[in-house]
Amino acid sequence: MTHEIAVIPGDGIGQEVTPAAVSVLEALETVDFEFVEAAAGDAVKAETGEALPQETRDIAADADATLFGAAGETAADVILPLRDVVGSFANVRPARSYPGLDAVQPDTDIVFIRENTEGVYSGIENEIVDGVRTLTRVVTEDASRDIAEFGFDYAKQNGYDDVTIAHKANVMRETDGLFLETAEAVAAERGADYDTALMDALAMHLVMTPEEYDVVICPNLAGDMLSDLAAGLVGGLGLLPSANVGEENALFEPVHGSAPDIAGEGIANPSAMVLSAAMLLDHLGYDEEAGRVRDAVEAVLESGPRTPDLGGDASTEAVTAAIVDEL
Ligand code: ATP
Ligand code: MG
C-alpha cells in the first residue's frame, strides 16, 4: 500500500528541514510513500498573491497526511486554514528531554493534548465602542468531548499512566466548567484515573516537578502556553514535533517557525521535523518504524553530530545523514 503524503516546506528553514524528514521516511524500506510537494507561505504569496493556493489545499485534503515545514509572515494565513483542511481538532505536542543534552529539567516526558478549534482562539473579537474591545470565548460540549476522548485514548495507547485535565473552572465557571465536567464524564465512562489541575498552578508544578506529569489535556490557549513552557524545560525549539489530528486526516509540523535568523545557512536542527515525521508514522499505524526513527534521532542527539543550536557545528545535512545511517 502506497501512502500519499503532501509535503509543504513553506518558508525559511522549512525549506531545509522538510527535505530532511522526507529523506528519513524514504530510508524506511518497509513503508511506501508517494510525496506530493505543494507551495505555501511568503514566497508563493509574493509570486501569486495567495499564501495558501487552492491547489495546495486540494493536495493536503486528498493526501493521507501532510508534512508542513514553516511559514514566515503569512503563518496565520497558512497554518490555521490548513488545520481546517485536514479537519484537525487535536494538537498533540510531546515535550521530552533526551539523554546527553543539557536541559533545565532532564527528566521530562509530557504530551500536551491541546483543544485546537475554540476557546479564546474562537476568533470572535469586537470593538464595542472606542477603547473597549471584547473576545467571546466559545466552549462546546462536542469539542470538549472530542479532545477528552482523544486524550484518554492517547494515554492508553501510548502507555502513559497519568492524565491531567487542565482548567480554570473556578473562575471561568461556565466555559471551563463545561470543559472540565465533560472531560470528567469521559474519564468516568472509560473507568480511567485522572487528576485535575488549575492551569496557573500547573504552570508552576510543570517547572518544578515535570516528572509527575504524563498526558495533559488542555483548553486551546492553555495548551499553547504550557507546551511552550515545557519546550523551554527540555532544550529548545529545534527538538519539538507536533501533530494536528483530525478524524481522517492529519498534519505534522515542528513547533518552531521559519527561523529567518538562520534560514539559508544550512544549519537548522532537523530533529523537530524528523520527529514530526515519526508522529506521522504513528498516525499511519507504523509503530515499529516510528520507534526506529525516534531511536535514530535519540542516538544522534546523544553522540552524533550536532547543529549550532545544540552547541555543535554540524550542518542540517550532516545530522540528517547521521540519522539515516542510524536507521
Ligand atoms: P516565525 O515567525 O516563523 O515563527 P521566529 O523568528 O519566531 O520565526 P522561530 O522559528 O520561532 O523563529 O525560532 C525562534 C528561535 O529559535 C530563532 O532564533 C531560531 O533560530 C531558533 N530555532 C528555531 N527552530 C530551530 C531549528 N530547527 N534549529 C535551530 N534553531 C532553531
Ligand atoms: Mg516563532
Side-chain angles (χ1 to χ4, degrees), residues 134-157:
T134 61
L135 159 71
T136 302
R137 181 172 201 259
V138 177
V139 174
T140 64
E141 186 177 345
D142 281 350
S144 302
R145 171 164 283 277
D146 284 346
I147 198 69
E149 288 180 344
F150 184 91
F152 279 103
D153 291 347
Y154 184 96
K156 192 166 179 203
Q157 281 156 17

Side-chain angles (χ1 to χ4, degrees), residues 68-97:
F68 174 70
E73 308 262 299
T74 53
D77 303 326
V78 172
I79 192 63
L80 298 179
L82 263 183
R83 285 175 183 159
D84 273 350
V85 166
V86 303
S88 126
F89 63 88
N91 187 203
V92 183
R93 294 183 162 200
R96 55 167 297 211
S97 45

Side-chain angles (χ1 to χ4, degrees), residues 56 81 99 112 149 169-170 210 219 235 302:
T56 301
F112 293 89
E149 288 180 344
N170 56 337
E302 189 166 2

Side-chain angles (χ1 to χ4, degrees), residues 88-297:
S88 126
F89 63 88
N91 187 203
V92 183
R93 294 183 162 200
R96 55 167 297 211
S97 45
Y98 292 89
L101 281 187
D102 275 345
V104 177
Q105 285 288 12
D107 193 17
T108 303
D109 183 0
I110 305 174
V111 183
F112 293 89
I113 307 290
R114 166 188 168 198
E115 200 288 317
N116 211 9
T117 66
E118 56 184 27
V120 287
Y121 290 170
S122 65
I124 308 170
E125 291 194 291
N126 288 294
E127 178 163 31
I128 301 296
V129 292
D130 195 23
V132 181
R133 299 177 192 181
T134 61
L135 159 71
T136 302
R137 181 172 201 259
V138 177
V139 174
T140 64
E141 186 177 345
D142 281 350
S144 302
R145 171 164 283 277
D146 284 346
I147 198 69
E149 288 180 344
F150 184 91
F152 279 103
D153 291 347
Y154 184 96
K156 192 166 179 203
Q157 281 156 17
N158 292 279
Y160 287 108
D161 295 328
D162 294 317
V163 177
T164 304
I165 304 163
H167 70 95
K168 191 76 185 173
N170 56 337
V171 177
M172 296 182 278
R173 292 197 182 109
E174 291 300 328
T175 50
D176 263 10
L178 180 59
F179 183 84
L180 176 61
E181 105 201 5
T182 307
E184 291 191 295
V186 167
E189 285 160 21
R190 282 166 164 60
D193 287 337
Y194 65 95
D195 289 311
T196 65
L198 292 168
M199 56 179 75
D200 47 352
L202 179 59
M204 179 192 72
H205 290 300
L206 286 171
V207 170
M208 297 183 73
T209 53
E211 67 281 0
E212 288 179 7
Y213 297 89
D214 287 342
V215 170
V216 183
I217 300 173
C218 309
N220 202 340
L221 173 64
D224 199 9
M225 295 181 63
L226 294 175
S227 62
D228 269 29
L229 177 147
L233 297 179
V234 302
L237 281 172
L239 298 175
L240 290 201
S242 78
N244 296 279
V245 183
E247 289 301 339
E248 309 208 322
N249 206 334
L251 176 147
F252 302 84
E253 55 170 333
V255 169
H256 66 70
S258 63
D261 55 335
I262 58 164
E265 293 179 37
I267 54 165
N269 186 345
S271 303
M273 189 77 216
V274 172
L275 292 167
S276 301
M279 296 182 83
L280 179 149
L281 288 164
D282 281 332
H283 177 74
L284 294 176
Y286 296 102
D287 297 356
E288 203 251 62
E289 285 81 357
R292 283 174 56 210
V293 170
R294 286 195 187 95
D295 289 348
V297 170

